[in-house]
Amino acid sequence: MFKTIVVIGVTGVQGSSVADAFLHLTQWRVRGITRNPSSPAAQALTAKGVEIVKGDLDDKQTLFPAFDGATAIFSNTDFSGYLQAGLLSKDILQGRSPNKYAFDREVEQGINIAEAAALPNTLKTLERFIFSSLSDARKWSHGKYARVYHFDSKAEIIRTIQTRFSDLAARMSTVQIGSYVRNWQMLPPLVPQKQSDGSFLVQRTSAPEYKVPFAVAHADTGSFVKALVDLPPGKNLLGVSESMSWPEWTRLWGDVLGVKATFKQVSADDFFRDVPGPLRDDLAEGFAYVEEFGHTGGDPEVMTTEQLGIDVPLTSMEEYIRSENWSSVL
């Protein structure tokens, strides 16, 4: 008897990793939800064996048939897309900041997913609901960091599920994916900068001693989700591939690529000087929050793979650096 995992956002960073992991398991079938089944990414997944269905997280009616017969659901919501939309068009904000707009829209997405997953017909077969989350920055920092919207939106979705959808909550586990190793592709200040002498400079606001919980999300998210599907529900996992400081990462990066590389800590004002205000506010507070309170905020219910006593195949930083295409940097 085959089992079915439904992957929301199957063409994205996390979703595609989950699909790849479960495609290798003979007892599982993978159904992926995407807004555009004809996209090249969706077509490539179809060729691999993923059943691609059209679904829109803003229209919960489209999710009802997609969840039919699901054994497990991987839920992944989108903050950054809405933030970008809010930065581009003030007309959609309705008096809100772009950050608050993205917060509200992501929470709406999460509630739509929960309502569809909590239908009696879905719950008949559903054993695990795995939600990709982040810690509640406002709560765990005791209000010190109140503008980390892309963290707090996911925490708000979890609260809603726990209060409104108890049967779904009883099947839920969460994964908090660490700092994406490919964040450098998203924002110019994160890119190693080539210097006039041919060396490279990596700049961050983090203190040199801070251990970053790096996640090779495009490769390892599937391993984290598979582990949670196998465990009893009610688990909260910190998804980290390897932790190291930025100076350690910089030295490793230089050694692997055969270049000289150094790390420099800079102020948030200098680092985010050319970043749009709303995005700067969210990221600057987010960086400060995780450095002071940790990626999980110190939440005792969120555990590492070691604390859960599970063996998960992960990608080391050296393996990631060797496998990555750095041609645009070098």
Side-chain angles (χ1 to χ4, degrees), residues 128-313:
R128 295 290 180 274
F129 180 75
I130 311 300
F131 183 78
S132 180
S133 183
L134 289 169
S135 61
D136 190 336
R138 182 189 295 264
K139 172 184 175 181
W140 294 109
S141 71
H142 309 289
K144 180 175 181 178
Y145 297 107
R147 297 187 298 174
V148 192
Y149 286 96
H150 75 285
F151 273 57
D152 290 352
S153 52
K154 297 167 182 64
E156 180 63 25
I157 294 169
I158 290 179
R159 275 193 293 271
T160 302
I161 292 173
Q162 291 170 336
T163 56
R164 289 181 51 189
F165 308 103
S166 58
D167 288 340
L168 182 62
R171 295 164 169 80
M172 182 170 66
S173 289
T174 71
V175 58
Q176 294 186 14
I177 301 298
S179 178
Y180 280 25
V181 292
R182 282 183 167 170
N183 277 343
W184 65 270
Q185 297 178 352
M186 307 300 153
L187 201 66
L190 299 175
V191 179
Q193 302 296 320
K194 193 169 187 178
Q195 306 299 294
S196 59
D197 63 358
S199 66
F200 289 84
L201 179 66
V202 173
Q203 299 185 98
R204 293 294 187 275
T205 60
S206 304
E209 63 272 15
Y210 171 62
K211 297 287 186 180
V212 183
F214 288 108
V216 188
H218 61 280
D220 292 348
T221 301
S223 297
F224 298 131
V225 172
K226 176 59 169 59
L228 289 173
V229 167
D230 289 342
L231 288 169
K235 306 300 181 184
N236 302 290
L237 174 64
L238 175 60
V240 177
S241 302
E242 186 176 4
S243 294
M244 60 175 58
S245 68
W246 274 113
E248 291 169 336
W249 189 95
T250 302
R251 284 194 296 271
L252 178 62
W253 186 83
D255 290 345
V256 169
L257 298 180
V259 297
K260 181 181 178 181
T262 56
F263 169 79
K264 180 182 179 182
Q265 182 184 9
V266 296
S267 70
D269 287 343
D270 287 341
F271 188 78
F272 292 106
R273 180 179 294 113
D274 297 323
V275 177
L279 179 60
R280 179 188 64 231
D281 293 343
D282 188 72
L283 292 178
E285 282 220 358
F287 284 11
Y289 163 69
V290 297
E291 183 170 357
E292 182 172 351
F293 292 93
H295 199 76
T296 70
D299 184 347
E301 295 185 1
V302 182
M303 300 183 181
T304 63
T305 54
E306 294 81 8
Q307 290 170 322
L308 286 173
I310 54 177
D311 186 19
V312 178

Side-chain angles (χ1 to χ4, degrees), residues 71-92:
T71 311
I73 295 172
F74 172 66
S75 176
N76 182 26
T77 50
D78 179 25
F79 177 90
S80 62
Y82 283 124
L83 178 58
Q84 291 170 7
L87 290 171
L88 292 173
S89 175
K90 293 183 179 179
D91 294 339
I92 64 176

